[in-house]
Amino acid sequence: MNPPKRITYLDMAKGVGIVLMVAGHLIGSVQTIDYKPYFSPAYQFIASFHMPLFFIISGILLWITREEEKEMAFIFRRKAKTLLLPYTTFSLTYIVINIWTCIFSPDLLQFSDLWKFLIYSVTFRGVSVLWFLPTLFFGELLFLWCRKRMSGGRLTALFTVTAFLVFFFSPLFQWEGWEDGLLLMTAGALLQTAARSLLSCTFLLIGYDLAGLLQKREKKSAAGFLLGAGLLAADGILCFQNGSVDLNYMVFDNFLLYMICACAGSFGVILVCKNMYRSRLLLFYGTNSLVIMATHMEFKVMMHAIQYAYLLNQFVTRAKEWILFATMAVYITAAEALLVYIYNHYLYFLIGKRKFAKVQKDRIRKEESVS
């Protein structure tokens, strides 16, 4: 089967999403060393929509590819290959890294902490950023299973109700008692996996239902760009009326405001990317977002970027902050480019991809047959 044609503006939107994810984690790490007054509002804006963006894009792609017309067994196999396989391989890699840390840096991590990471991995709660992959896997399967059996109105009612149920029970996940024993930890992790997956269905539905409007107009327009910028500005205003939010830990504050900001920010990014010129850098980030997401923290890329940037910054006399963050950005991009190359060319089987050279040949053959 030929690889599906990629949709440039959605890849660019994913690129924006992964850049914001890295930026958010970078802010969280740097503020413990050198707090800046703009860190909190910047992080609050990023967190208001950057993870819903990925689910909404996935919903758009489900509509474009007509996934509900395919057999569930086929969907399960393909999604397991592209989502659960990399989840499993990266989880195992994280365990190896954490064991190494326990041995050589026991002040950072104790062997007793490994039980928590193991439970999080096997329950699909996910260690660090890996929570996203099983959430999307179970969310897409549930959404498509329901879509095959329900009309649009009933489906909307179902996932509206489940979204508010998730919000209603979300304070349970902040209970510190979940850490009291392996059994409670396992139960809490399973419940959180289920709750996240249910909520992801709501975002998938939003992307799915609005995909037709996005695809209707193919040409770029200044009006579309300005509408996207306006939605981002609206999110930038509204998100500060809400408290700090975190989809990973199920923290929403005002849930209705959270959903409005998530949709405004996500569709703002999508519309801006749809109506702007092609960006090769954003496409690189977007098409390789899985590897970048999984490696930028646990592979110590971000940690080393911070260390080297502050080391270099000692010798800078002007524009210190600009050069500091520019150094981090260049280092992270260069390191991730190397990791992406390694995974795409040599470890592609660990992330559910085909050999890079084979994909390129198939794409060239397809383009030649069209011409």
Side-chain angles (χ1 to χ4, degrees):
M1 181 181 292
N2 288 328
K5 183 180 178 182
R6 302 201 68 95
I7 300 171
T8 301
Y9 77 90
L10 291 180
D11 280 337
M12 287 169 58
K14 285 167 64 178
V16 172
I18 202 67
V19 167
L20 291 175
M21 176 191 287
V22 174
H25 292 153
L26 195 63
I27 288 171
S29 297
V30 172
Q31 69 180 354
T32 61
I33 306 169
D34 183 16
Y35 183 76
K36 307 292 182 185
Y38 51 80
F39 277 172
S40 291
Y43 183 81
Q44 195 166 343
F45 174 68
I46 290 170
S48 69
F49 73 92
H50 79 297
M51 291 314 299
L53 170 64
F54 288 101
F55 293 112
I56 288 173
I57 290 173
S58 296
I60 295 170
L61 290 172
L62 291 180
W63 183 88
I64 291 172
T65 56
R66 295 289 184 265
E67 289 290 294
E68 77 276 7
E69 297 174 4
K70 299 167 185 173
E71 294 293 329
M72 286 301 299
F74 171 78
I75 294 170
F76 178 88
R77 289 194 300 270
R78 190 153 58 83
K79 298 296 180 184
K81 180 182 178 182
T82 56
L83 293 171
L84 285 193
L85 176 60
Y87 172 79
T88 302
T89 57
F90 278 117
S91 294
L92 291 172
T93 305
Y94 284 12
I95 290 172
V96 172
I97 292 172
N98 285 326
I99 290 173
W100 179 275
T101 304
C102 287
I103 295 171
F104 294 100
S105 301
D107 54 318
L108 297 177
L109 191 66
Q110 301 292 320
F111 274 102
S112 57
D113 295 326
L114 294 179
W115 281 109
K116 180 178 179 179
F117 297 143
L118 182 61
I119 288 172
Y120 278 13
S121 296
V122 299
T123 58
F124 299 107
R125 162 67 177 79
V127 175
S128 186
V129 296
L130 292 185
W131 68 269
F132 171 77
L133 296 176
T135 298
L136 183 59
F137 173 77
F138 292 119
E140 286 192 343
L141 287 182
L142 178 59
F143 173 80
L144 290 170
W145 187 85
C146 293
R147 181 67 184 84
K148 286 173 175 288
R149 290 161 175 78
M150 295 184 185
S151 62
R154 291 171 62 199
L155 196 67
T156 300
L158 171 66
F159 289 128
T160 300
V161 170
T162 56
F164 279 95
L165 281 174
V166 168
F167 165 67
F168 181 78
F169 288 106
S170 61
L172 288 175
F173 301 112
Q174 317 311 316
W175 181 47
E176 295 180 359
W178 293 118
E179 302 292 318
D180 296 339
L182 298 181
L183 188 60
L184 275 173
M185 192 181 294
T186 302
L190 286 170
L191 285 172
Q192 197 158 358
T193 300
R196 286 205 207 105
S197 300
L198 272 176
L199 185 56
S200 74
C201 289
T202 306
F203 290 121
L204 290 169
L205 176 66
I206 292 168
Y208 186 92
D209 282 348
L210 295 179
L213 292 176
L214 286 170
Q215 290 295 101
K216 187 176 293 185
R217 187 180 180 87
E218 294 295 330
K219 292 184 178 179
K220 302 182 189 306
S221 69
F225 183 92
L226 290 174
L227 176 59
L231 286 171
L232 282 170
D235 176 37
I237 295 170
L238 291 174
C239 72
F240 298 119
Q241 310 307 310
N242 201 12
S244 296
V245 298
D246 192 322
L247 182 55
N248 181 10
Y249 293 100
M250 310 296 286
V251 177
F252 308 112
D253 202 9
N254 184 313
F255 187 64
L256 184 59
L257 198 53
Y258 170 77
M259 294 298 292
I260 292 171
C261 289
C263 293
S266 297
F267 283 104
V269 168
I270 291 168
L271 284 171
V272 166
C273 290
K274 183 175 173 61
N275 293 284
M276 65 180 284
Y277 290 109
R278 189 173 185 267
S279 166
R280 295 186 66 179
L281 184 60
L282 286 180
L283 283 173
F284 164 76
Y285 274 110
T287 54
N288 298 292
S289 57
L290 189 151
V291 173
I292 296 170
M293 177 197 72
T295 60
H296 75 280
M297 287 184 68
E298 300 302 320
F299 281 40
K300 313 303 181 187
V301 171
M302 194 172 69
M303 183 185 78
H304 291 146
I306 294 170
Q307 290 175 345
Y308 296 144
Y310 272 99
L311 182 65
L312 175 66
N313 211 238
Q314 297 177 39
F315 307 101
V316 175
T317 57
R318 299 189 180 197
K320 289 177 74 72
E321 285 191 24
W322 287 100
I323 293 175
L324 178 71
F325 288 104
T327 304
M328 293 179 193
V330 170
Y331 181 92
I332 291 172
T333 300
E336 288 299 338
L338 176 60
L339 286 167
V340 164
Y341 180 85
I342 292 170
Y343 270 95
N344 282 344
H345 288 80
Y346 303 108
L347 302 177
Y348 52 89
F349 54 90
L350 296 179
I351 55 174
K353 287 187 176 182
R354 295 187 302 160
K355 193 172 182 179
F356 187 76
K358 175 85 166 94
V359 172
Q360 292 294 90
K361 287 180 182 178
D362 287 349
R363 192 159 290 158
I364 293 171
R365 191 182 303 117
K366 187 176 181 180
E367 291 174 355
E368 289 176 347
S369 65
V370 171
S371 60

